[in-house]
């Protein structure tokens, strides 16, 4: 297999494959950060997480059309506006869902699974009724298109670099929110001991609502970013939900570092195996490996000790 290539060609192939793994890593991080907040910190199994991502993608699609039709001079910056709007739309919907449904189901994880699965079906039908059953795509600004030549044989796509920078930025923002802000302290206090947190004056209901909203908002930003690398359809969120839960559970629920380490491990393993095997076989082997590790270490890579 490798005898047909020179050493320089093999080096270029492996470098490109490694960069593809970094892009996949960034995608996994963007997918999993919102769920790491909702599932890891709140214990809510949100099966509608993919639909919140798709809401962000549809908001980006609408914003793209609005700027193209009414503000063509500012079209090059529409994507930044779209990400903000996607965060707001998905976050507000998430807060409404928490108030109407999730707050009645705390400490009943199986019920949250069933309820949010039903919600995902409802949102899929809403998207199908509003936007149609066919997939839609956005027009990407010219400055994100193309690739940057690293060497004569290696080129990296600009949209991949943008996704990586976005993943780093959102990860840093989540870290500051969770570990360097008063809101983060309240979330972790409620996670450790809800009764005691309420006794010392923390508004647990509002903190829960805001936490769920921020997790859904981050999912919306992820959906906005995904429009650069794929099309959007009513059921596209289901393509991401398994990988998202896999990353969060493997890293350790509630651990930001674990989520990032898990995303990196899974993405690089899958990307390397895709070079030798088919994409589907690489995904199956990655899944089996993760399941095997979780059987030996069910708490994940980085487990947090909690007081109940």
């Amino acid at each position: 297999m490798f005898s047909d290539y020179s050493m320089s060609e093999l080096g270029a192939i492996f470098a490109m494959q490694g960069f593809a793994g970094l892009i996949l890593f960034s995608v996994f991080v963007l997918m999993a950060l919102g769920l790491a907040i909702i599932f890891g910190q709140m214990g809510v199994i949100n099966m509608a997480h993919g639909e919140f991502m798709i809401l962000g993608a549809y908001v980006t699609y609408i914003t793209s059309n609005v700027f193209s039709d009414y503000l063509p001079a500012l079209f090059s910056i529409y994507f930044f506006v779209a990400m903000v709007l996607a965060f707001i739309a998905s976050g507000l919907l998430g807060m409404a869902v928490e108030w109407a449904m999730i707050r009645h189901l705390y400490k009943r994880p199986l019920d949250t699974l069933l309820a949010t699965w039903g919600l995902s079906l409802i949102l899929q039908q809403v998207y199908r009724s509003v936007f149609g059953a066919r997939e839609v795509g956005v027009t990407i600004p010219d400055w994100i298109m193309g690739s940057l030549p690293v060497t004569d044989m290696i080129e990296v796509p600009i949209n991949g670099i943008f996704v990586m920078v976005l993943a780093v930025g959102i990860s840093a923002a989540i870290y500051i929110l969770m570990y360097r802000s008063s809101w983060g302290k309240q979330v972790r206090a409620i996670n450790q001991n809800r009764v005691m947190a309420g006794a010392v004056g923390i508004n647990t209901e509002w903190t829960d609502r805001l936490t769920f909203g921020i997790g859904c908002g981050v999912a919306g930003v992820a959906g906005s970013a995904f429009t650069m690398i794929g099309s959007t359809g009513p059921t596209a969120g289901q393509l991401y939900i398994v990988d998202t839960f896999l990353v969060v559970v493997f890293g350790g629920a509630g651990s930001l570092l674990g989520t990032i380490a898990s995303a990196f491990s899974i993405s690089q393993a899958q990307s390397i195996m895709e070079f030798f095997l088919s994409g589907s076989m690489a995904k199956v082997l990655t899944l089996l490996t993760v399941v095997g590790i979780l059987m030996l270490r069910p708490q994940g890579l980085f487990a947090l000790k909690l007081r109940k």
Side-chain angles (χ1 to χ4, degrees), residues 125-137:
Q125 187 57 48
V126 171
Y127 298 153
R128 189 175 289 107
S129 300
V130 175
F131 299 101
R134 300 184 63 179
E135 294 185 343
V136 298

Side-chain angles (χ1 to χ4, degrees), residues 32 36 39-40 179 243-266 290-291 293-294 297-304:
F39 178 58
Y179 300 103
D243 287 332
T244 304
F245 270 103
L246 186 67
V247 168
V248 173
V249 173
F250 184 52
S255 172
L256 178 62
L257 178 61
T259 298
I260 295 174
S262 171
F264 182 81
S265 302
I266 293 174
V290 171
V291 170
I293 294 175
L294 287 175
R297 188 178 173 81
Q299 68 271 34
L301 296 178
F302 296 83
L304 298 180

Side-chain angles (χ1 to χ4, degrees), residues 210-224:
L210 187 61
T211 302
F212 196 86
I214 290 177
C216 294
V218 173
V221 175
S224 181

